[in-house]
Amino acid sequence: MQFQWYPGHMTKAKRQMQEDIKLIDLVIELVDARIPLSSRNPDIDELGKNKARLILMNKSDLADEEAGKLWSAYFQKKGYYVVSLDSRNRNGMKQVTAVVMEACKEKIERDRKRGIMNRPVRAMVVGIPNVGKSTFINSYAGKACAKTGNKPGVTKGKQWIRLNKNVELLDTPGILWPKFEDQTVGLKLALIGAIKDEILNIDELSLELIKVLTAYYPGAFQARYGTEEQAIDETAAPAEILRGIAENRRCVAKGDEIDYSKAATLLIDEFRSGKLGRITLERPD
């Protein structure tokens, strides 16, 4: 499969971000904790150079906890502040505020020396589509101030949001880069839902997911889909594993034919919702 998706509004959004970055003290970048590297936009590093940087590993409740620790250490070693959180749950938000203030302490001290007191930290929230930016902002602010949706591309324009006397946020549309040089990055983005399903082949996508999970998480298919009467042979070809899932979950079409597409959709949906367990699709080098 070839993965490509770059709606026109994203070009405009990138140009706007290049202008807005001049107003910013801190770049808060959301990534998906299941693919922390593949869900980063490489343009953000160039846009945000010379700014304080905070990476929020969102949807950490769906990700492998041990892999999350490895990724936190990886990003911290590169000079980023890092917080793992589930933006649908407000419990981690106090930690975010503390880290924001820590990341901007030099800026706050410079302001103090110039006699500028209580100027709020201005942070830009960035990230690729469907990584949870709007949900994070709403949870952080404690009210529905940014439009949310469970499909990529909901946020189309920018908006400033005053959280409290210490922090102002600039929300931005999700942007992808125009070309995935490594198609495995496109694959992982497709698996988590960052690329619209309407332009994907879900059957092929499910087979790729099976390859990844049998390599990283042996036993996951048997635990979720196996039965006493019919085990899932995880050493079989991906299409045979998908067939086993279809049979055990009664994914059948007219004439009692196996409905591979229904089984593929089921598998992708259950991976994305965490029903297969806490899974991370990549590890630091």
Side-chain angles (χ1 to χ4, degrees):
M1 271 188 294
Q2 292 290 306
F3 301 95
Q4 215 54 262
W5 180 52
Y6 196 67
H9 77 266
M10 291 188 179
T11 303
K12 182 180 177 183
K14 182 178 172 183
R15 284 199 300 266
Q16 188 62 56
M17 287 172 68
Q18 289 169 330
E19 288 299 311
D20 294 336
I21 200 76
K22 301 166 189 173
L23 310 171
I24 298 301
D25 306 307
L26 170 71
V27 176
I28 299 176
E29 180 181 2
L30 270 77
V31 302
D32 191 301
R34 295 166 293 179
I35 53 167
L37 199 59
S38 294
S39 59
R40 295 194 68 214
N41 183 337
D43 290 344
I44 301 300
D45 280 338
E46 179 62 26
L47 286 167
K49 64 184 179 182
N50 304 321
K51 301 291 181 179
R53 300 291 301 278
L54 167 59
I55 288 182
L56 299 182
M57 294 205 299
N58 194 28
K59 306 186 184 181
S60 61
D61 58 310
L62 300 175
D64 183 322
E65 201 167 1
E66 289 305 310
K69 292 175 184 176
L70 295 175
W71 280 112
S72 288
Y74 170 87
F75 288 128
Q76 286 166 353
K77 191 174 179 181
K78 291 185 174 292
Y80 300 99
Y81 290 87
V82 185
V83 175
S84 295
L85 80 163
D86 167 17
S87 62
R88 296 166 299 181
N89 185 329
R90 294 192 63 205
N91 291 344
M93 295 305 161
K94 286 185 179 178
Q95 184 188 1
V96 174
T97 298
V99 175
V100 165
M101 302 314 288
E102 172 66 20
C104 295
K105 64 182 180 182
E106 290 182 11
K107 171 261 174 194
I108 295 168
E109 181 59 21
R110 282 197 306 272
D111 280 354
R112 189 188 64 79
K113 288 179 178 177
R114 293 171 183 162
I116 303 169
M117 307 298 286
N118 301 320
R119 186 172 80 81
V121 168
R122 286 189 150 187
M124 178 186 283
V125 182
V126 300
I128 66 168
N130 210 32
V131 81
K133 295 189 310 302
S134 297
T135 303
F136 160 70
I137 290 169
N138 290 344
S139 294
Y140 198 16
K143 57 184 182 294
C145 53
K147 188 179 180 184
T148 62
N150 61 359
K151 60 182 185 292
V154 169
T155 307
K156 292 287 197 302
K158 68 168 181 171
Q159 52 183 325
W160 280 102
I161 298 151
R162 183 74 180 260
L163 295 183
N164 51 49
K165 62 184 176 66
N166 295 321
V167 182
E168 288 182 355
L169 291 184
L170 179 62
D171 187 20
T172 61
I175 57 171
L176 286 171
W177 51 107
K179 183 181 179 183
F180 304 126
E181 293 184 7
D182 181 352
Q183 283 294 303
T184 61
V185 171
L187 168 64
K188 292 170 187 172
L189 289 167
L191 284 169
I192 66 162
I195 299 173
K196 290 181 178 180
D197 284 343
E198 293 86 347
I199 65 171
L200 299 172
N201 184 321
I202 297 298
D203 293 14
E204 285 187 36
L205 198 61
S206 72
L207 297 179
E208 294 295 338
L209 177 60
I210 288 170
K211 290 178 191 175
V212 174
L213 296 191
T214 51
Y216 279 120
Y217 297 93
F221 292 116
Q222 175 60 26
R224 181 67 183 167
Y225 302 112
T227 65
E228 289 185 12
E229 296 78 21
Q230 185 172 356
I232 301 292
D233 179 7
E234 297 191 5
T235 65
E240 284 303 308
I241 293 175
L242 185 62
R243 181 184 181 89
I245 294 170
E247 289 174 345
N248 289 4
R249 287 300 180 89
R250 296 295 299 159
C251 296
V252 292
K254 288 181 180 178
D256 223 27
E257 292 282 321
I258 292 291
D259 190 335
Y260 285 96
S261 293
K262 186 175 180 181
T265 300
L266 169 76
L267 176 60
I268 296 293
D269 287 347
E270 294 207 337
F271 159 68
R272 289 176 180 170
S273 64
K275 291 177 181 175
L276 287 172
R278 297 181 64 167
I279 290 168
T280 298
L281 299 179
E282 59 190 11
R283 301 291 187 277
D285 292 336

